[in-house]
Amino acid sequence: MWGKRIAVLVLSLLLTGVGASVAHAGTGVVPASTSWTSAERGWVLGLDTLCQTANCPQLVRTLDGGTTWTRVRTPALAVPETGRLRVVFANDAAGMVTDGEQLFVTGNGGTRWEPSGIKGTVGALGFDDSGFLAVIYDGTSSRLFHRELWFGSWQPVPGVEVKGQAFGSIAPGQVSLSVTFVENRYWTRSLPGWLEEPAPCTIESATRLATVSTDRYALCSFDPGFGNMSKELRRSSGGEPFETVGVPPRDGITTGFAVSPETALVAATGRDWSFVHRGSGDKWDTPLTLGGPPFEDLAFSDARHAALVRGGPGQESAEVYRSDDAGLSWKPVGV
């Protein structure tokens, strides 16, 4: 009798475990990068622990906010020795993945991937109203390249270029290319094309961009210390010059930046801690503080929903975190 009860209990526990695994898809993918196009629809690119050979990148997607995940056809990416795997989607169909040297794009949600054919190191990735955007360093210069969403080949954007390997940032309607202490240049897009304007940050600063409606934002990060650096939130409204509108906490070296109509978020890491600072103007708090690896891919998918990836393959933890209240609270998402 007791033997049967124990057997039933063990079977029940096994079934419960299987159910929990199915609820979170049990993909076996260790997250390296994430991108969300809505509160419910997201992508994760990482390493497949179920792969028979070592180091197999695998892309998965969710349509229900991370409750379940489905494997998606993944192009032949390598595992970078430096840098990391990255995924960026603009909508359910158009997306990009890179290992830092190869860049692939899809216009049908990952059913088919096309290599860029560009030789060089892949930097910042983004989108505008008409297509894909990528910053590529060819060993001499960093240039902005563009490709239509549904067809065509990658082409350099005339004039959007700096000498050397630049830190690049792309947001709708704007792009920045900077080589710290050497050059910091900035362009905006209008109907005639890309126009260079005064840079929102100094040459001593790393620039990260964001766009909300007709307002353009820049986070200028400078004067790094031991695990911290100065940060200024700047805004341009209606095409006017940028003005400082907030000073986020100095804690951490900046690793991410995102803005919604409600608030601004800054990811930073330093002294074995990682932070998400939240605020605007003079009022800032830090709703997320965790020990360990840095936060990357911080982005809003709408005014209230944001996501990031913590760590990645080879680090002590690798997790996707989401916020449903514009960054006030965060919770891990099983993959």
Side-chain angles (χ1 to χ4, degrees), residues 171-176 186-188 197-202 207-211 214-220 232-245 257:
Q174 50 178 337
V175 62
S176 171
Y186 172 77
W187 295 262
T188 60
E197 296 188 16
C201 303
T202 65
T207 306
R208 293 178 183 265
L209 302 175
T211 304
T214 60
D215 288 344
R216 305 194 303 259
Y217 289 86
L219 181 72
C220 306
E232 289 185 359
L233 176 63
R234 312 201 76 208
R235 182 182 66 207
S236 168
S237 297
E240 294 297 316
F242 279 88
E243 295 182 345
T244 299
V245 294
F257 173 54

Side-chain angles (χ1 to χ4, degrees), residues 92-147:
D92 286 349
M96 294 181 277
V97 293
T98 183
D99 56 18
E101 297 296 329
Q102 302 178 93
L103 175 63
F104 294 86
V105 300
T106 182
N108 51 25
T111 302
R112 182 168 58 90
W113 293 91
E114 299 179 24
S116 68
I118 309 172
K119 302 294 184 182
T121 302
V122 182
L125 301 174
F127 300 88
D128 64 12
D129 292 338
S130 62
F132 302 96
L133 294 170
V135 174
I136 307 292
Y137 172 60
D138 63 8
T140 301
S141 299
S142 298
R143 307 173 72 182
L144 181 67
F145 283 77
H146 174 270
R147 203 204 87 151

